[in-house]
Amino acid sequence: MRPQPSRARWARDATPSSAGERGIALVVAAVLVLLVGGGYWVVRSQQPRRPLHLLEAYDISGSVGPDEKQRDCEVAEATHARILGANSRVMAWTFALEAWELYEGDPRDARELRPLLDTIRGTTAQLRGTSPARVIERMAAAARRAEAENADVALIFLWDGEDHRPEATRAAVQQLTALSNLKAIWVVGVPADSQGKDLRARVRETFAPLPVPLIISGPFDRGPGLEAFQRALHR
């Protein structure tokens, strides 16, 4: 019977016997480390983020005409297409002086929300005046529920910045200050100047107590606003 090599012989034979062989072995080892490490980072980067609840408020007061509503819905549709993912939830309200919940759900994609936007296009409040105070209170309650579910929230206001109850709005904003899951706020549709009123400054003052990014866009510069909003969500 042919003698089998000893275990020590196998170990000795498997050891490179020249500098060239040792160099090749080192290169192979380095490549393996890079491959394994790279795979590790790929796996980590593909891990899902925390769920995101997108809370949306649409101004339907009498001062908002069909063209403005159409622009608002275009902004919302672009945002849904860009932001929504597998772990997203959407809640939507309309508001004037009061607030009305229209939708809550986990849409698979932006197309599922088109009936919601069609409803908003055709809705106008019978009450005169505008204030986001009531809708902010509803958003705060929804954000607290999301916090209990370990989910982040982001707020979008399709609103021109007019507020007939500023004190009530500031009080409502205080309900958002204790949240740890609020990522960003985007207010869309605020003109740079409205009959001598600096509405953007008023909006900034309203949300000043909140330590999160506040993005304010005008009626026609929604593209940069959406980019800034998306960056804020990934910070």
Side-chain angles (χ1 to χ4, degrees):
M1 178 181 296
R2 185 176 179 178
Q4 295 296 317
S6 67
R7 182 171 299 178
R9 173 67 182 270
W10 280 112
R12 185 170 58 252
D13 289 348
T15 303
S17 58
S18 68
E21 290 171 333
R22 286 193 297 272
I24 292 172
L26 289 172
V27 170
V28 170
V31 170
L32 288 173
V33 168
L34 287 173
L35 287 174
V36 172
Y40 169 75
W41 286 111
V42 167
V43 170
R44 285 200 62 182
S45 67
Q46 292 176 345
Q47 292 300 312
R49 295 177 299 151
R50 277 164 49 109
L52 176 68
H53 293 191
L54 203 57
L55 311 183
E56 305 175 352
Y58 296 82
D59 181 2
I60 59 164
S61 61
S63 62
V64 181
D67 290 343
E68 289 86 353
K69 287 179 185 174
Q70 178 61 30
R71 284 197 297 267
D72 289 348
C73 290
E74 289 173 357
V75 170
E77 189 162 18
T79 303
H80 297 156
R82 183 79 68 86
I83 301 297
L84 295 184
N87 296 318
S88 300
R89 177 173 298 171
V90 173
M91 294 189 68
W93 296 263
T94 53
F95 73 96
L97 287 177
E98 296 295 329
W100 302 273
E101 184 177 334
L102 281 186
Y103 177 88
E104 178 177 1
D106 306 320
R108 290 172 296 180
D109 55 44
R111 291 174 295 182
E112 289 192 13
L113 294 168
R114 287 175 182 169
L116 164 68
L117 301 180
D118 289 340
T119 299
I120 291 167
R121 288 184 181 97
T123 304
T124 301
Q126 300 303 312
L127 298 174
R128 298 179 64 85
T130 307
S131 174
R134 290 295 179 87
V135 77
I136 291 173
E137 292 172 355
R138 306 283 180 86
M139 288 176 155
R144 288 192 292 270
R145 293 194 299 271
E147 194 171 34
E149 298 172 13
N150 199 34
D152 291 326
V153 296
L155 277 51
I156 302 178
F157 294 85
L158 289 304
W159 170 47
D160 64 6
E162 287 282 0
D163 189 354
H164 295 98
R165 294 178 178 171
E167 293 296 330
T169 300
R170 284 192 285 271
V173 167
Q174 289 298 319
Q175 298 183 29
L176 301 172
T177 56
L179 296 172
S180 63
N181 60 334
L182 179 59
K183 297 288 288 183
I185 300 170
W186 185 21
V187 183
V188 191
V190 185
D193 180 79
S194 178
Q195 300 177 349
K197 295 180 289 187
D198 189 348
L199 295 178
R200 294 192 179 190
R202 294 185 185 182
V203 171
R204 282 192 291 270
E205 181 183 358
T206 296
F207 292 104
L210 303 176
V212 299
L214 171 65
I215 300 99
I216 303 175
S217 301
F220 303 103
D221 59 351
R222 61 180 183 262
L226 178 53
E227 294 288 343
F229 185 58
Q230 188 172 23
R231 287 196 300 272
L233 296 182
H234 288 85
R235 66 189 175 92

